[in-house]
Amino acid sequence: MLQGKKILLIVSGGIAAYKCPDLVRSLRKRGADVRCILTRGGAEFVTPLALGAVSEDKVYEDLFSLTDEAEMGHIRLSREADVVLVAPATANLLAKMASGIADDLASTALLATDKPVLCAPAMNVQMWENPATRSNIEVLSKRGIGFIGPEEGDMACGEWGLGRMSEPEQITAALEGFFRRGLPLDGTRALVTSGPTHEAIDPVRYLANRSSGKQGHAIAAALARLGSATTLVSGPTGQPDPAGVDVVHVESAVQMLDACTNALPVDVAVLAAAVSDWRPEHAEDGKIKKAPGATPPGLALVENPDILATLSAPGNLRPRLVIGFAAETDDILENAKAKRTRKGCDWIVANDVSPETGTFAGDANTVHLITQNGIEDWPRQSKTDVARRLADRVAETLAVTA
Ligand code: CTP
């Protein structure tokens, strides 16, 4: 979850710099703002144009550029970030950092920053193992500088060993871990389902329902914001993928169950999807044609698997907390209480989805939280606020049962 995080990326002169445009894209996909400093050596491997295009920002290159300094001084550049990421961090730049040398914009920003610094080293295995580098790493670690990698593998120079820069996805995951530290759900995993399912009748027709996916998507975002590594299994919706969440897109109930099972084990599962109870017994391979004068075709249905009941069943992989939703139009509380017992989940969020409430398509929701301790009536509030409150309750409960 890097939503709104400001990352100052320092790209120094190693062959791994060619991966930096991908790194910038991966960080931005997770919601981060990325600003780049490119050293003279780095510019030999990746162009400022490429980094500028993917970061959609100016790329800073030269300490002594008067225009750059007038626009944004090196002190401000290094301080307005939430974290400074050096990738690739060459042996040379690590040595400069260890001895406090500031002879270009990158090393000056690193000396001037008051923010955490993370380095993804990249160098030949002999350079990595050289006592000079070992002692620089030790000095920097003692000063609180963090390291991501390096990895073992083939090197650009043809040798094999430790020294490859971690892949952009690994660096992104490490940064997410860094920002999760101290959050209430750090170290937990969450699974959320959202949206309707589409049950194919033939290649062009399906059975579906009015669920918008707004509530489920908001819950996934809220759990991720509290530091949980969150997987969202989403049926077809018009909602954008929430930042910082792994999203698996599915169509049918059977696919949704499959994706949920693959996401286990998790600490908490919130099943907010409006899963179709039935599917056509046979989905035709070709489009069903309308013959003039013929009787309309019948639709034989079979029951879909119940994902909530499946995940709630006792077993090694049962999440510590399973939360279901009950979308009702009549006798809301009674129906929801019975559903909680029938499906075996821990909590049920009951809501009135009668057409006059506008709940399905709307942005607000009036819910009742049914737990083993009774019923809580929550006020009408936005779906985002329902999600935040539910995520707070999850965090309190998981902390107690940890
Ligand atoms: N659910 C599920 N798999 C299904 C049907 C429902 O996981 N095949 C989950 C929903 O995600 C929700 C809860 O079960 O968390 C209740 O869904 P709802 O449609 O209200 O309940 P049903 O079991 O379908 O009961 P009914 O339609 O009779 O009210």
Side-chain angles (χ1 to χ4, degrees):
M1 185 69 179
L2 297 174
Q3 192 62 35
K5 300 293 181 209
K6 292 195 174 77
I7 298 172
L8 178 64
L9 171 63
I10 295 182
V11 179
S12 64
I15 175 70
Y18 84 89
K19 293 182 183 170
C20 285
D22 276 348
L23 174 60
V24 172
R25 289 179 59 164
S26 158
L27 294 168
R28 292 194 69 206
K29 210 169 117 201
R30 293 291 176 146
D33 288 331
V34 186
R35 176 159 279 167
C36 300
I37 293 181
L38 184 59
T39 67
R40 194 167 298 170
E44 300 289 330
F45 297 98
V46 61
T47 67
L49 197 60
L51 287 176
V54 286
S55 65
E56 292 186 86
D57 201 352
K58 180 180 163 57
V59 173
Y60 293 80
E61 289 184 85
D62 185 357
L63 175 61
F64 304 109
S65 154
L66 285 177
T67 346
D68 281 6
E69 277 297 296
E71 278 174 12
M72 162 104 49
H74 60 277
I75 304 279
R76 214 178 111 204
L77 195 57
S78 67
R79 302 245 174 112
E80 67 164 32
D82 296 307
V83 68
V84 182
L85 170 65
V86 189
T90 57
N92 183 50
L93 185 52
L94 291 170
K96 286 209 252 180
M97 288 166 74
S99 34
I101 292 173
D103 63 354
D104 63 0
L105 181 59
S107 50
T108 308
L110 281 162
L111 199 59
T113 190
D114 56 356
K115 293 301 178 333
V117 177
L118 294 172
C119 295
M123 65 197 74
N124 164 274
V125 57
Q126 299 302 334
M127 292 167 83
W128 176 249
E129 283 168 5
N130 189 298
T133 307
R134 308 286 358 113
S135 102
N136 290 335
I137 299 282
E138 202 182 316
V139 166
L140 293 171
S141 301
K142 278 198 190 127
R143 283 186 207 147
I145 302 230
F147 288 91
I148 305 165
E151 315 296 324
E152 211 168 34
D154 290 328
M155 316 212 135
C157 56
E159 289 184 25
W160 192 91
L162 208 55
R164 271 170 69 112
M165 187 174 87
S166 301
E167 293 300 320
E169 280 305 320
Q170 290 172 297
I171 297 176
T172 306
L175 272 155
E176 286 185 307
F178 172 80
F179 281 113
R180 273 205 294 264
R181 258 178 247 160
L183 289 175
L185 285 174
D186 180 23
T188 68
R189 290 165 51 83
L191 167 67
V192 180
T193 65
S194 181
T197 60
H198 285 183
E199 308 297 334
I201 297 171
D202 68 14
V204 294
R205 304 180 178 92
Y206 53 80
L207 290 179
N209 59 64
R210 294 184 192 279
S211 167
S212 66
K214 282 183 187 165
Q215 188 63 82
H217 278 57
I219 291 167
L223 290 168
R225 203 169 295 127
L226 293 191
S228 197
T230 305
T231 302
L232 170 66
V233 179
S234 173
T237 74
Q239 303 299 316
D241 290 353
V245 171
D246 283 325
V247 186
V248 183
H249 293 277
V250 297
E251 296 239 326
S252 67
V254 170
Q255 291 169 354
M256 189 172 271
L257 174 62
D258 215 38
C260 288
T261 314
N262 287 339
L264 297 178
V266 296
D267 298 276
V268 56
V270 186
L271 302 189
V275 183
S276 174
D277 288 323
W278 307 282
R279 66 177 183 277
E281 192 171 9
H282 301 292
E284 299 297 333
D285 290 336
K287 185 183 169 199
I288 303 169
K289 299 297 288 178
K290 183 177 61 178
T295 25
L299 204 54
L301 300 176
V302 289
E303 201 169 318
N304 265 327
D306 192 313
I307 303 167
L308 180 57
T310 308
L311 294 194
S312 299
N316 284 348
L317 289 179
R318 189 194 192 279
R320 281 195 277 157
L321 185 60
V322 183
I323 306 172
F325 268 69
E328 306 290 345
T329 53
D330 306 289
D331 301 326
I332 298 163
L333 293 180
E334 282 320 303
N335 279 331
K337 275 200 287 187
K339 210 167 265 183
R340 174 173 169 264
T341 315
R342 193 169 69 241
K343 303 216 182 196
C345 57
D346 302 298
W347 300 352
I348 275 262
V349 181
N351 58 352
D352 185 350
V353 292
S354 313
E356 62 276 13
T357 63
T359 301
F360 259 151
D363 291 320
N365 207 353
T366 310
V367 307
H368 312 270
L369 180 66
I370 304 177
T371 70
Q372 56 278 27
N373 300 324
I375 301 176
E376 294 173 26
D377 301 316
W378 290 7
R380 186 164 180 77
Q381 54 195 332
S382 71
K383 288 183 177 175
T384 314
D385 286 342
V386 169
R388 289 200 179 130
R389 191 161 166 177
L390 190 66
D392 286 341
R393 290 297 303 274
V394 168
E396 284 163 28
T397 304
L398 290 188
V400 172
T401 61

